[in-house]
Amino acid sequence: MGDERDMSVWDVVVVGAGPAGASAAYAAAVAGRRVLLLEKAELPRYKTCGGGIIGPSRDSLPPGFELPFKDRINAVTFSLNGKYARTRRSRSMLFGLINRPEFDAQLVEHAQKAGAELRTGVTVTRVEQHGSAVPDRRTVAVVLQDGETVLARAVVGADGSASRIGAHVGVKLDQVDLGLEAEIPVPETVAEDWRGRVLIDWGPIPGSYGWVFPKGDTLTVGVISARGEGAATKKYLEDFIARLGLAGFEPELSSGHLTRCRADDSPLSRGRVLVCGDAAGLLEPWTREGISFALRSGRLAGEWAVRVAEAHDAVDARRQALNYAFAIKAGLGVEMAVGKRMLTVFERKPALLHAALTSVRPAWNAFAKITRGSSSLGELVRTHPLAGRALNRFER
């Protein structure tokens, strides 16, 4: 095992205990490595997030994970800036809704059960890969706010959309959106009306949309649109809530959050440091769905961090990090590229999309398949010539 000093180096240190970080820590710990998971908040903590768990998210959870569903959705009402509302129903569940604090805490527990060690209330100020803090070329120094230094053979940055580790890696972003959300407690009669059904409203600002997600006696109501439209986005949320007849209920929580999508040429690693989830700018550009991207990229980051940790020199570490980047681009990258094309069409022609989803059966079936996880945007465009042709035509 080497000397005492050697024992103080962790195999993998993961920064951030959201879905991406917890998945990375779980994957590395299951492989039998010494894993430390660092989180600046105390858990459970609140996140601005609709909390929809689609098929790909379910498929990426650790074995034996019991989803704490607040509701199971089998109907979607679509509207176009409050008009032309139409509800489509499905015989089986489309997706489930969770509360993020509960869900995230449960993921962290699974990582701990697999052997990862958790430290909360810890802020990472920077990572260093050379210099006096680093004993050798195989080690990364993770410097904490109180001056303490933690040593690791590999680091996974999963510290969210304003990532410190992302800055170290040099992550580049090319789409930034502002999401605003209110958690509104409602009386039983109102809650009953929403049970099993969500609303998706294509909004008045190009590329914007709003949602209502029911969670028992609370409705999560939110809107998202491109950053720089702050006042218009806020007005959209207010109008949306008023139109729904919910203006009389006092929100329990109101919050805002910036989501950031990576640029195509954005790096996913630097030396022995990998990034995943929001920290890497990985999310679906059109819907801005991030949980499935966080779970999937987190798991890959944890698996490849194990290989980076085992690498004996910089060349080998780089090779493993490039393999990680390749795995991300081949899967999530392909989906992001199609999502970007969908967003462009949606920005120009929201009415067309609304008409397709509410009155063209194949379009609704595609939506249902994607949310259930039996297909993905990328797969549909690849395998259905019609979908590919339609997308090409709309883009023109």
Side-chain angles (χ1 to χ4, degrees), residues 18-343:
S23 297
Y26 174 84
V30 158
R33 297 305 180 275
R34 294 184 67 239
V35 180
L36 177 64
L37 178 57
L38 303 174
E39 166 58 45
K40 67 172 189 281
E42 295 300 338
L43 297 172
R45 48 110 177 85
Y46 179 75
K47 277 289 291 181
T48 306
C49 172
I53 299 291
I54 57 174
S57 299
R58 278 201 312 272
D59 299 340
S60 311
L61 293 166
F65 190 97
E66 290 286 323
L67 274 160
F69 283 145
K70 293 287 165 218
D71 203 345
R72 292 160 196 274
I73 301 307
N74 57 20
V76 182
T77 300
F78 295 101
S79 61
L80 185 62
N81 197 15
K83 297 187 284 287
Y84 315 113
R86 173 124 193 245
T87 302
R88 312 272 342 216
R89 295 183 187 280
S90 158
R91 275 196 285 274
S92 54
M93 176 171 114
L94 294 166
F95 57 95
L97 299 179
I98 48 99
N99 278 337
R100 277 291 301 276
E102 240 179 300
F103 176 72
D104 290 15
Q106 210 170 302
L107 276 171
V108 169
E109 266 166 50
H110 273 261
Q112 287 175 286
K113 278 188 204 137
E117 188 169 311
L118 171 71
R119 283 180 61 186
T120 56
V122 180
T123 301
V124 171
T125 48
R126 64 185 190 280
V127 287
E128 291 179 13
Q129 301 200 59
H130 6 192
S132 56
V134 187
D136 58 55
R137 295 302 304 271
R138 279 194 66 201
T139 313
V140 183
V142 179
V143 185
L144 310 183
Q145 202 167 35
D146 63 4
E148 186 193 341
T149 297
V150 175
L151 300 178
R153 295 271 176 248
V155 171
V156 175
D159 48 339
S161 60
S163 170
R164 292 269 168 103
I165 315 289
H168 171 80
V169 166
V171 171
K172 291 189 283 191
L173 305 157
D174 76 350
Q175 177 189 326
V176 184
D177 294 292
L178 169 66
L180 299 175
E181 198 165 68
E183 300 277 343
I184 306 177
V186 291
E188 176 58 30
T189 47
V190 178
E192 190 53 49
D193 181 44
W194 285 98
R195 205 151 288 146
R197 175 174 71 97
V198 298
L199 170 72
I200 295 175
D201 177 71
W202 312 113
I205 309 157
S208 69
Y209 76 97
W211 61 90
V212 179
F213 283 2
K215 297 174 188 167
D217 51 9
T218 305
L219 298 178
T220 298
V221 182
V223 300
I224 193 160
S225 81
R227 183 176 70 173
E229 297 279 356
T233 308
K234 196 163 175 286
K235 184 175 180 336
Y236 175 29
L237 180 62
E238 283 163 9
D239 293 349
F240 186 45
I241 288 173
R243 272 202 310 259
L244 291 162
L246 299 171
F249 304 118
E250 191 56 43
E252 184 171 37
L253 258 164
S254 292
S255 62
H257 175 67
L258 290 175
T259 65
R260 300 169 165 93
C261 273
R262 69 188 289 274
D264 277 343
D265 59 346
S266 179
L268 289 156
S269 69
R270 176 177 166 189
R272 290 176 173 270
V273 179
L274 310 178
V275 284
C276 60
D278 278 347
L282 291 167
L283 70 157
E284 204 281 290
W286 173 37
T287 60
R288 291 81 155 185
E289 191 280 320
I291 297 179
S292 80
F293 278 67
L295 293 169
R296 291 183 282 175
S297 63
R299 188 174 70 189
L300 287 169
E303 288 168 0
W304 288 104
V306 166
R307 294 170 183 141
V308 169
E310 286 164 358
H312 284 287
D313 56 42
V315 175
D316 193 22
R318 182 177 158 74
R319 185 183 307 124
Q320 302 304 342
L322 284 172
N323 283 337
Y324 165 66
F326 183 75
I328 291 287
K329 287 173 187 166
L332 298 175
V334 171
E335 283 178 46
M336 288 182 77
V338 178
K340 213 173 229 106
R341 292 174 66 193
M342 285 295 296
L343 178 66

